[in-house]
């Protein structure tokens, strides 16, 4: 178990800046997700921790000591890959035992460790199988066991569940989280799936073109995305053009209270669907233009004159249907301006 | 459900199967006419030696071969050369293929091109080029003398090493091609995973890469074995007069010694040795196809 610090970390591939001045730290025992769209540099960042890529500049510190001079086989990290994770010519047992044998451990010790690692991922009795005789989910479990059996300081996972079906993905996610909690191992998990990141991480680093846009707890990232990019990437959000009129924001025919800080600036208003509530006749007049059934909720698209489409989330008990005329008002919204974001709760 | 699964292919078979049969009919007939039929005839003929003017079944031809010192020496020499050539080919081509697989630079592309170059040079031209290069008073000897003043150069031309050098040179392109193709199938992740758990270069090579390219190694072995054991041009032009590899030996027995029965026996023995390797190769190919479906 260890802490990890990125110090002005850069990686350049030719003219592509894959990782651009990464600066953040991971606490001992923390579960971090690197989240971002394809090509934003998540894998590159992870591979620099594992030692598969050399930083162009900057440093990575583990418990305060630089590790970038160490080759991958000397680093106390263990990696789980997305695809082709297991050695196909070795049985499950040999896959997990390989690293232990390289360390020259006694046969009995290796045996015990492999068995308890398999136990941990719920695959007792699969020792003799070849990877080809396992399902995709079982293969990833073995890969996790293989990584954990070496008792690494830091566990690295690069989209380990993204080739699995949705159901299995959720189950393995829960299993991984409980293993991580019980071992207390510092974990860095790369994903482009915001739901996965929100449900797993203690903190999420949202990345965009090589840079970290925001590094915060899932609650804060969800409630108050620090930029329009993060807002668009996490959860569902309606963005509205607004005219800044001193103490008020003018949205089409309607107004919302403004904040001192944004005075005189160009602004955009962002609304979470669950912050849109039914209102009396003073509210915004809206027509229900689409209803989607999400199980316990309806996800609605509302057409509001002069504003455009606004997403909303209502309980089933609201009994709304398409073409219904309703009135709504937000009870919370975010104002994005060139210097940041303001949160307003009514 | 099982019954319907068993029946469905039958109904479909007729149309597709006829197309398939028609497509393989021509090569199959050619193979029977040009290989299976004459080979069987030869095998049968060698088993019916002429003893005191009459042909009858017997093993005299083979007894003659295996009791003749020259024949046995030549067979052993051929197998020994084949082993040495294949060993050298792997020793030379595996590093080249590994280099090509794990480096991405313009030098690697040039090396690849160079490694394939002998493929475009006919064997006979290659033989004469090698004679000019390694032969007596050849380029290599002159070069050594001029640069170092050392005069002890002894040419491998017309010695066992001569045919070995020629055949290794000839075998490099196909071996590099097969091995690079095999290595290309090894995903980076598997190698990185091995590095991640602490494996060094040698451990990765022996424990991960070699087992994963086993099939390519077998293919390279089989193709080179088949090519070398029956080789004629290069051993004839570059190799020693005695011992001889089976190719030139057969030719000499047939044209110079004028003993067609003995030549045919030599051919059948060479053919049987090749068939063993051919069988291993085909079995592995079929097994792979089964695994893939
Ligand atoms: N070995 C490489 N050589 C050249 N460019 C590379 C290399 N690896 C990555 N890149 C580039 O660096 C950028 C970041 O790549 P990276 O693989 O880190 O993205 P990612 O966030 O993991 O994306 P994905 O979600 O698709 O896996 C991309 O523009 C990619 O093309
Ligand atoms: Mg990636």
């Amino acid at each position: 178990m260890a802490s990890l610090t990125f110090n002005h970390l850069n990686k350049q591939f030719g003219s592509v800046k894959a990782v651009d001045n990464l600066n953040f730290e991971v606490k001992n025992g923390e579960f971090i997700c690197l989240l971002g769209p394809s090509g934003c540099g998540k894998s590159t960042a992870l591979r620099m921790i594992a030692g598969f890529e050399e930083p162009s500049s900057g440093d990575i510190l583990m418990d305060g000591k630089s590790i970038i001079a160490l080759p991958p086989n000397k680093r106390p990290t263990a990696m789980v890959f997305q695809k082709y994770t297991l050695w196909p010519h070795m049985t499950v047992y040999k896959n997990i035992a390989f690293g232990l044998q390289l360390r020259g451990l006694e046969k009995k010790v290796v045996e015990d460790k492999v068995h308890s690692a398999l136990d941990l991922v719920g695959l007792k009795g699969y020792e003799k199988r070849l990877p080809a005789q396992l399902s995709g989910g079982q293969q990833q479990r073995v890969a996790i066991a293989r990584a954990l059996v070496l008792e690494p300081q830091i566990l690295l996972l690069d989209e380990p569940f993204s080739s699995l079906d949705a159901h299995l993905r959720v189950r393995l996610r829960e299993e991984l989280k409980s293993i991580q909690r019980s071992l207390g191992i510092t974990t860095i998990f790369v994903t482009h799936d915001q739901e996965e990141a929100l449900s797993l991480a203690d903190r999420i680093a949202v990345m965009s073109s090589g840079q970290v846009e925001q590094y915060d707890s899932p609650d804060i990232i969800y409630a108050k995305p620090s930029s329009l990019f993060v807002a668009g990437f996490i959860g569902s959000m309606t963005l509205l053009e607004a005219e800044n009129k001193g103490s008020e924001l003018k949205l089409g025919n309607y107004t919302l209270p403004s904040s001192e800080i944004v005075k005189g600036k160009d602004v955009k208003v962002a609304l979470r669907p669950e912050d849109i509530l039914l209102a009396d006749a003073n509210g915004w007049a809206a027509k229900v233009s689409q209803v989607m059934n999400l199980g316990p909720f309806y996800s609605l698209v509302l057409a509001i004159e002069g504003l455009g489409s606004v997403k909303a989330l209502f309980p089933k008990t609201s009994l709304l249907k398409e073409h219904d005329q309703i009135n709504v008002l937000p009870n919370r919204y975010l104002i994005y301006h060139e210097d940041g974001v303001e949160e307003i709760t009514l | 459900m099982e019954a319907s699964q068993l029946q469905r292919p039958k109904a479909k078979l007729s149309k597709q199967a006829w197309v398939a049969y028609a497509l393989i009919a021509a090569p199959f007939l050619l193979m029977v006419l040009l290989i299976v039929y004459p080979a069987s005839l030869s095998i049968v003929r060698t088993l019916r030696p002429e003893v005191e003017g009459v042909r009858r079944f017997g093993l005299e031809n083979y007894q003659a071969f295996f009791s003749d010192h020259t024949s046995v020496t030549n067979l052993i020499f051929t197998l020994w050369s084949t082993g040495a050539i294949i060993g050298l080919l792997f020793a030379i081509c595996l590093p080249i293929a590994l280099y090509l697989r794990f480096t991405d630079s313009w030098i690697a592309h040039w090396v690849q091109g160079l490694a394939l170059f002998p493929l475009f040079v006919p064997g006979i031209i290659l033989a004469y080029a090698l004679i000019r290069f390694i032969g007596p008073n050849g380029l290599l000897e002159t070069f050594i003398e001029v640069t170092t003043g050392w005069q002890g150069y002894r040419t491998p031309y017309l010695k066992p090493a001569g045919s070995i050098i020629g055949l290794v040179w000839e075998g490099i392109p196909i071996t590099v091609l097969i091995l690079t193709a095999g290595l290309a199938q090894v995903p980076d992740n598997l190698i990185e995973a091995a590095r991640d758990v602490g494996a060094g270069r040698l451990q990765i090579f022996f424990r991960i890469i070699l087992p994963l390219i086993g099939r390519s190694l077998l293919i390279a072995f089989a193709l080179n074995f088949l090519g070398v054991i029956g080789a004629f041009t290069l051993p004839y032009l570059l190799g020693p007069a005695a011992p001889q590899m089976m190719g030139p030996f057969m030719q000499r027995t047939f044209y110079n010694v004028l003993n067609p029965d003995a030549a045919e026996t030599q051919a059948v023995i060479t053919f049987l040795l090749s068939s063993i390797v051919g069988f291993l190769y085909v079995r592995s190919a079929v097994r792979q196809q089964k695994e893939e479906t």
Side-chain angles (χ1 to χ4, degrees), chain A residues 300-326:
Chain A
L300 306 178
V301 179
L302 306 174
I304 299 176
E305 211 175 288
L307 276 186
S309 295
V310 173
K311 283 180 236 160
L313 203 62
F314 287 134
K316 278 243 171 98
T317 47
S318 63
L319 295 175
L320 290 168
K321 359 181 247 308
E322 276 175 34
H323 309 305
D324 279 355
Q325 291 284 350
I326 54 174

Side-chain angles (χ1 to χ4, degrees), chain A residues 38-39 41-44 47 82 158-159 190 192:
Chain A
S38 184
K42 310 179 293 287
S43 296
T44 307
R47 292 167 57 78
Q82 177 186 355
D158 193 353
E159 312 207 24
V190 162
H192 60 253

Side-chain angles (χ1 to χ4, degrees), chain B:
Chain B
M1 192 187 92
E2 269 174 27
S4 71
Q5 266 180 344
L6 282 175
Q7 273 164 6
R8 214 180 46 211
K10 241 188 216 167
K12 269 193 175 173
L13 204 75
S14 48
K15 256 189 215 160
Q16 283 183 353
W18 281 114
V19 176
Y21 287 144
L23 283 173
I24 58 165
F28 184 74
L29 274 178
L30 272 179
M31 195 178 79
V32 169
L33 280 176
L34 296 179
I35 300 172
V36 179
Y37 177 66
S40 326
L41 277 189
S42 279
I43 293 172
V44 171
R45 241 192 336 257
T46 58
L47 289 169
R48 298 194 64 203
E50 203 176 303
V51 183
E52 289 151 11
V54 243
R55 277 197 178 273
R56 55 162 185 76
F57 276 100
L59 289 173
E60 279 84 350
N61 277 328
Y62 292 92
Q63 280 162 358
F65 181 92
F66 284 106
S67 56
D68 174 39
H69 180 71
T70 314
S71 303
V72 174
T73 311
N74 285 348
L75 182 63
I76 291 172
F77 175 67
T78 306
L79 287 174
W80 178 85
S81 300
T82 308
I85 288 162
I86 293 175
L88 282 169
L89 276 172
F90 280 132
I92 294 168
C93 299
L94 256 179
I96 295 179
L98 284 169
Y99 171 75
L100 294 176
R101 167 68 177 78
F102 294 107
T103 346
D104 183 28
S105 73
W106 60 270
I107 306 177
H109 295 293
W110 274 98
V111 171
Q112 183 141 36
L114 275 178
L116 297 187
F117 181 68
L119 201 57
F120 308 109
V121 183
I124 186 132
I125 296 177
L126 173 63
Y128 283 104
L130 273 175
I131 293 172
R132 298 288 297 270
F133 185 69
I134 59 174
N137 302 315
L139 209 61
L140 189 61
E141 183 171 3
T142 318
F143 179 77
I144 290 175
E145 272 186 28
V146 168
T147 50
T148 67
W150 184 62
Q151 302 218 330
Y153 179 80
R154 287 173 53 219
T155 176
Y157 175 51
L158 299 183
K159 300 202 185 86
S163 52
I164 289 178
I165 291 172
L167 287 167
V168 164
W169 180 259
E170 201 180 43
I172 285 177
I174 197 77
T175 313
V176 168
L177 268 181
I178 294 168
L179 294 181
T180 36
L183 284 170
Q185 307 272 319
V186 180
D188 283 338
N189 278 358
L190 293 186
I191 290 159
E192 287 177 347
R195 284 218 284 163
D196 200 47
V197 301
R201 277 164 195 275
L202 285 180
Q203 286 153 336
I204 289 173
F205 178 70
F206 286 108
R207 303 284 305 269
I208 308 292
I209 293 179
L210 269 190
L212 287 177
I213 61 166
R215 206 152 256 141
S216 303
L217 294 176
L218 179 65
I219 294 173
F221 171 80
L223 291 186
N224 281 312
F225 185 93
L226 299 177
V228 167
I229 198 163
F232 174 74
T233 313
L234 289 168
Y236 181 72
L237 291 173
L238 297 173
Q244 256 184 328
M245 285 184 68
M246 292 307 278
F249 181 40
M250 277 177 237
Q251 200 255 7
R252 184 164 62 90
T253 312
F254 192 82
Y255 284 107
N256 302 43
V257 185
L258 296 175
N259 188 347
D261 274 5
E264 203 160 39
T265 309
Q266 293 158 12
V268 168
I269 287 170
T270 314
F271 173 75
L272 289 180
L273 283 173
S274 302
S275 323
I276 296 171
V277 174
F279 170 75
L280 289 178
Y281 171 68
V282 169
R283 197 182 61 170
S284 141
V286 169
R287 207 180 270 172
Q288 177 174 25
Q289 236 170 26
K290 256 191 213 151
E291 269 169 33
E292 276 164 10
T293 52

Side-chain angles (χ1 to χ4, degrees), chain A residues 178-190:
Chain A
S178 87
I179 289 173
Q180 191 268 342
R181 281 289 179 261
S182 67
L183 299 179
I185 184 171
T186 312
T187 302
I188 302 181
F189 187 106
V190 162

Side-chain angles (χ1 to χ4, degrees), chain A residues 47 52 72-73 78-79 81 83-84 86-89 98 102-103 146 150, chain B residues 187 189-200 203 207-208 211-212:
Chain A
R47 292 167 57 78
F52 299 131
N73 44 345
M79 179 118 160
F81 296 87
K83 289 188 298 186
Y84 306 116
L86 301 178
W87 299 299
H89 59 294
F98 187 51
L102 290 174
R103 283 161 180 70
R146 184 179 67 188
L150 299 171
Chain B
N189 278 358
L190 293 186
I191 290 159
E192 287 177 347
R195 284 218 284 163
D196 200 47
V197 301
Q203 286 153 336
R207 303 284 305 269
I208 308 292
L212 287 177

